[in-house]
Amino acid sequence: MAQTQRIPVVAGLLLAAGGGRRLGGRPKALLEHRGRPLVEHAARVLRDGGCGPVHVVLGAAAPQVRMRADLSGYAVTVNPDWEEGMGSSLRAGLDALAATDADAALVLLVDQPGIGAAAVARVRSAYRSRAALAAGAYDGERGHPVMFGADRWADVAAAAVGDQGARAYLRAHREAITLVECADVARAFDIDTVEDLAHLD
């Protein structure tokens, strides 16, 4: 009897630990978008884009985020070292996923509400193996979301320091990245400054 092939597990990994230093110390996860905390919106984008399970990494104001945002149905990791920068949150998230059967992690940042489920689904569809490396592209320029096959997690985590996240790793492995054009379905802006809040509704 032919063995049924296992469907690859592409987990969603939402980095939502930032304290919003340039936003006057307003944690990004709690910024309001369409009447709900931004973290809720972003976690749903990962789920609706076909990722599962979805892991959310919190940091700044984690107790308030848990209280105000409905994160039921998602795995939540609190990064105690969130002030060290995004790299520590990426490490915490990949560490949590290492205990699961996920074949890849699709990473989304909480402060990019212009990236929706359509872009997530496109990047997810680039999965070929546990060595996968893919990223959303905007007019040919690499952006988010980014997908890392499980075989790459240890090296990604080792290179994730400070606020760089996976930038150094991606630069070093530029030739291996499958770029997935998303400019027609997503906008890759960040909510970093008070002026950027105009993007939220």
Side-chain angles (χ1 to χ4, degrees):
M1 202 165 81
Q3 195 176 2
T4 47
Q5 203 173 356
R6 175 177 165 274
I7 297 168
V9 176
V10 178
L13 179 55
L14 176 61
L15 303 186
R21 195 172 55 248
R22 285 180 286 171
L23 289 166
R26 294 162 70 183
K28 292 184 177 184
L30 285 175
L31 294 175
E32 202 161 289
H33 185 47
R34 297 175 188 163
R36 297 299 304 161
L38 197 52
V39 65
E40 248 182 63
H41 169 80
R44 192 167 56 246
V45 160
L46 284 169
R47 190 186 60 208
D48 292 351
C51 294
V54 173
H55 281 242
V56 180
V57 180
L58 300 179
Q64 292 93 311
V65 176
R66 280 181 179 274
M67 206 157 49
R68 285 178 47 194
D70 179 6
L71 296 176
S72 52
Y74 307 112
V76 176
T77 297
V78 177
N79 172 20
D81 304 317
W82 64 269
E83 288 181 270
E84 289 177 13
M86 197 196 306
S88 67
S89 292
L90 180 57
R91 290 197 307 274
L94 291 176
D95 197 42
L97 283 175
T100 73
D101 62 352
D103 298 293
L106 194 144
V107 181
L108 185 66
L109 309 181
V110 76
D111 66 348
Q112 295 189 319
I115 297 176
V120 167
R122 270 195 199 171
V123 175
R124 187 193 178 287
S125 71
Y127 179 88
R128 296 291 176 271
S129 74
R130 287 171 65 94
L133 186 58
Y138 299 84
D139 301 321
E141 291 293 310
R142 177 177 56 75
H144 283 89
V146 180
M147 180 171 61
F148 300 104
D151 290 352
R152 296 183 179 272
W153 292 354
D155 290 342
V156 171
V161 292
D163 254 334
Q164 292 294 299
R167 210 171 299 159
Y169 183 88
L170 291 168
R171 237 187 341 258
H173 296 82
R174 162 182 312 119
E175 304 304 319
I177 302 171
T178 299
L179 291 179
V180 182
E181 188 56 51
C182 293
D184 59 322
V185 294
R187 293 178 303 143
F189 57 82
D190 297 345
I191 307 293
D192 278 335
T193 65
V194 172
E195 289 72 35
D196 295 334
L197 294 173
H199 286 300
L200 299 176
D201 54 28

